[in-house]
Amino acid sequence: MKRLNETRLFFEISKALHAHLDLKNALYNVLNILEEGMEMERGTITLLNLRRNEISIEVAHGLSKTAMRKGKYRPGEGITGSVFEKGEPVAIPKISEEPLFLDRTASRKYNGVEYSFFCVPVIKGKNVIGALSVDRPFEEGFSLTEGTEILSVVATMIATHVINLEKINREKEKLKEENSRLRTELENKYRFTNIIGNSNKMREVYQMISQVCKSNATVLVRGQSGTGKELVANSIHYNSNRAKHPFIKVNCAALPENLIESELFGHEKGSFTGAINQKHGKFELAHKGTLFLDEIGSISLDVQVKLLRALQEKEFERVGGHRTFKSDVRIITATNKNLEQAVDDGSFRGDLYYRLNVFPIFLPPLKERKTDILLLADYFLEKYAKENDKEIRRISTPGIDMLMSYHWPGNVRELENSIERAVLLCNEGVIHGYHLPPTLQTGTESGTLPAKTLEEATANLEREMIIDTLKNTRGNITFAAQMLGTTVRKFSYKAQKYDVHYKDYR
């Protein structure tokens, strides 16, 4: 059989090593190439098991499985063991004349044919991690030095591949651990018991989430903008049996009407202007997981028809395609629109409405859950104080009064933004009323506070500061006056003027 020249041999081996991420498959291919390139009859790659301190055959060419199981050595034992111990290659012209050759595999039946044996170490750093061994028929003119050099280069290539594979495997394991950690964080974050609120209406929401999360039922989350509909969708998914699969979110109102179909179902290359590549839709990406469609009331009637089919038949086609795809997806939708009115006026299909409205969950507006305002405000205060590295411990009593008296048209989102703004403005340990947005301070938009003159506003601020200092000093007028940088007489006068009694704070 014609030998491969060295350049071709190394090229073929390099290709073989990089064709597989599976180390065993790659090594088998290397031995197959050596069969032709060096007229090899038998070949083995042995690896050292550090735990057992044992050398065993990992892959072999020309050996039976029984022979491979027999081929075990200790470092320093036989030719292979010696190569592991010393880290130096060995070339034997004739196996039959070498007393150190153990032939543990019992695979050499000479029948008048002599064999040469080559064994070179596979070295990683300063350690021998394996050995490459080759049997070839003895040939008078074949250079043992040349054969050893060729195999040493191959061993180096194998070592590099092993190192690269170890690195890839470590990175894979690291990614797996990171994914597992992030998934655990998400599951903990979106437990419905972590949703803030203990009002009766929110308890009803928690009960409904716990009832529906383990099922595959379609859920319609309804409520005003800013009430936390996406948070409920997250809680349903991460407490469901699909939690380990994708959770894909689509804001239907944020997508142009002509692109939403492509976004949901994907498109084929060239299906429309700008479709330069094939694209997978959200239904494909969410397979076996959950698809959350926010602002579902904003999609067009044409898309509603295709969405209805995807919900009922669990199948769809990409835009510009003819192949039908199956997708096992749980649907959660959300809207702040009156879908019943939309059905009546023809802008929303009645059959789709009834398909989506299997299990509705209504989120109450913040003005209907007043008891939750302080819980939410404290949560956002702690969150943004930590983010901005500020030592803000509480909200003043007048500030709390402002929060409680406001009607919150933007619901929880508006409350969160208000507290974040207050944290950014506050340079002390307490958030006062003047740190809150002007809409809360004046009551102009809410209609809950009368318009104030400059004198009234000043009086209101003075009264707030007097109350706050009395709370801090537990009704001690002397300390309170010192905190405000005034005299006890002036402090007492102001307190009496604003009908504030120090005994109420003891």
Side-chain angles (χ1 to χ4, degrees):
M1 188 178 289
K2 187 179 178 182
R3 286 186 212 156
L4 296 174
N5 63 50
E6 288 183 28
T7 304
R8 173 82 183 280
L9 178 71
F10 296 147
F11 174 70
E12 292 295 334
I13 288 175
S14 177
K15 273 204 314 183
L17 286 171
H18 291 89
H20 291 281
L21 287 178
D22 184 294
L23 180 60
K24 274 196 174 183
N25 282 337
L27 296 180
Y28 274 118
N29 286 345
V30 169
L31 293 180
N32 289 336
I33 293 166
L34 287 174
E35 178 189 17
E36 179 181 356
M38 287 189 67
E39 297 179 354
M40 179 187 80
E41 188 158 320
R42 279 174 295 274
T44 64
I45 295 176
T46 51
L47 297 178
L48 174 63
N49 187 316
L50 290 173
R51 186 170 56 84
R52 296 200 299 261
N53 193 35
E54 183 181 73
I55 301 162
S56 58
I57 298 173
E58 185 71 15
V59 295
H61 179 90
L63 294 179
S64 66
K65 289 186 178 179
T66 302
M68 287 175 64
R69 284 194 291 270
K70 290 179 180 177
K72 297 186 185 298
Y73 310 88
R74 296 285 177 185
E77 188 178 29
I79 301 297
T80 303
S82 174
V83 169
F84 269 89
E85 187 174 63
K86 298 178 181 177
E88 296 175 355
V90 172
I92 300 172
K94 294 181 180 180
I95 293 175
S96 62
E97 297 176 0
E98 177 53 62
L100 293 177
F101 192 82
L102 301 178
D103 193 19
R104 285 273 169 87
T105 61
S107 57
R108 277 83 178 182
K109 294 182 174 62
Y110 301 110
N111 298 324
V113 179
E114 282 287 356
Y115 291 93
S116 299
F117 180 74
F118 301 84
C119 186
V120 297
V122 177
I123 299 173
K124 176 186 171 186
K126 295 182 179 179
N127 301 316
V128 178
I129 60 170
L132 170 61
S133 303
V134 166
D135 287 14
R136 69 180 304 278
F138 172 74
E139 186 179 337
E140 196 72 46
F142 185 80
S143 170
L144 296 180
T145 303
E146 182 183 338
T148 304
E149 288 175 353
I150 291 173
L151 288 178
S152 294
V153 173
V154 174
T156 302
M157 294 168 72
I158 291 173
T160 303
H161 186 64
V162 170
I163 292 167
N164 290 338
L165 281 177
E166 285 183 347
K167 185 178 179 182
I168 290 170
N169 289 334
R170 280 199 306 272
E171 289 176 353
K172 279 185 177 179
E173 287 301 315
K174 189 176 178 182
L175 283 172
K176 280 184 182 178
E177 290 173 5
E178 182 70 6
N179 285 338
S180 177
R181 183 187 67 79
L182 290 174
R183 191 174 293 281
T184 302
E185 278 187 14
L186 284 170
E187 288 172 359
N188 291 335
K189 181 179 179 181
Y190 292 117
R191 284 179 183 163
F192 61 85
T193 51
N194 289 347
I195 300 176
I196 297 167
N198 58 12
S199 60
N200 290 334
K201 293 198 173 185
M202 286 306 295
R203 287 176 184 172
E204 291 175 10
V205 171
Y206 303 150
Q207 184 179 5
M208 297 189 81
I209 294 174
S210 65
Q211 287 174 336
V212 78
C213 64
K214 297 298 181 184
S215 73
N216 286 317
T218 302
V219 179
L220 175 60
V221 187
R222 307 188 66 170
Q224 296 178 6
S225 180
T227 49
K229 296 187 289 296
E230 186 175 333
L231 189 61
V232 170
N234 277 292
S235 297
I236 293 172
H237 172 73
Y238 287 108
N239 289 279
S240 73
N241 298 326
R242 296 172 178 260
K244 296 188 183 301
H245 297 287
F247 181 46
I248 306 295
K249 305 176 187 179
V250 180
N251 188 330
C252 300
L255 293 169
E257 188 175 321
N258 61 333
L259 290 181
I260 190 165
E261 183 181 349
S262 168
E263 191 69 21
L264 292 178
F265 306 115
H267 64 250
E268 299 291 351
K269 181 179 179 180
S271 56
F272 54 85
T273 304
I276 57 175
N277 292 306
Q278 185 190 76
K279 178 182 178 180
H280 297 287
K282 302 302 186 189
F283 270 86
E284 287 180 78
L285 298 175
H287 184 59
K288 294 190 177 298
T290 305
L291 179 59
F292 175 51
L293 302 176
D294 199 5
E295 305 296 349
I296 190 65
S298 64
I299 64 174
S300 67
L301 288 169
D302 290 340
V303 179
Q304 289 178 34
V305 174
K306 296 191 175 184
L307 179 58
L308 179 62
R309 183 192 172 204
L311 289 172
Q312 290 185 163
E313 308 298 331
K314 296 190 180 296
E315 61 182 33
F316 61 92
E317 287 91 28
R318 293 181 185 142
V319 177
H322 303 288
R323 180 184 168 193
T324 299
F325 292 89
K326 292 282 186 180
S327 186
D328 175 18
V329 176
R330 186 200 190 152
I331 301 294
I332 302 175
T333 58
T335 184
N336 59 5
K337 288 187 177 180
N338 186 334
L339 290 186
E340 293 79 9
Q341 181 62 45
V343 171
D344 290 341
D345 62 29
S347 62
F348 201 87
R349 292 180 62 95
D351 47 4
L352 179 59
Y353 165 74
Y354 292 116
R355 188 65 187 81
L356 295 176
N357 200 37
V358 176
F359 195 94
I361 297 178
F362 291 86
L363 283 179
L366 190 55
K367 65 183 179 183
E368 292 181 11
R369 40 187 289 219
K370 289 282 188 179
T371 55
D372 294 335
I373 291 175
L374 292 184
L375 284 174
L376 288 162
D378 284 340
Y379 170 78
F380 293 135
L381 173 60
E382 183 179 350
K383 173 184 175 182
Y384 289 110
K386 185 177 180 180
E387 280 186 13
N388 292 280
D389 196 25
K390 289 192 173 184
E391 286 289 332
I392 304 175
R393 292 175 292 280
R394 65 184 182 88
I395 303 171
S396 69
T397 302
I400 291 173
D401 291 340
M402 287 182 179
L403 296 175
M404 294 298 292
S405 60
Y406 187 56
H407 69 306
W408 300 109
N411 294 295
V412 179
R413 186 182 292 119
E414 185 182 7
L415 174 59
E416 181 176 4
N417 293 342
S418 298
I419 299 299
E420 183 179 10
R421 175 187 186 275
V423 169
L424 293 173
L425 292 175
C426 182
N427 292 315
E428 45 193 303
V430 181
I431 288 179
H432 295 284
Y434 51 82
H435 293 129
L436 295 169
T439 49
L440 274 69
Q441 293 178 45
T442 64
T444 302
E445 291 190 14
S446 67
T448 56
L449 295 173
K452 291 183 176 66
T453 63
L454 178 62
E455 186 177 346
E456 288 171 334
T458 303
N460 191 59
L461 178 59
E462 286 184 339
R463 184 175 187 277
E464 176 184 329
M465 294 178 71
I466 288 170
I467 291 172
D468 212 36
T469 50
L470 285 174
K471 283 180 69 176
N472 280 324
T473 60
R474 297 190 176 184
N476 188 314
I477 296 177
T478 303
F479 290 156
Q482 288 176 358
M483 285 180 68
L484 291 179
T486 187
T487 64
V488 173
R489 185 180 67 79
K490 287 181 179 179
F491 184 91
S492 300
Y493 169 75
K494 292 283 187 181
Q496 185 178 1
K497 177 182 176 181
Y498 299 129
D499 196 28
V500 177
H501 304 284
Y502 68 92
K503 292 181 180 179
D504 294 339
Y505 301 94
R506 286 186 170 176

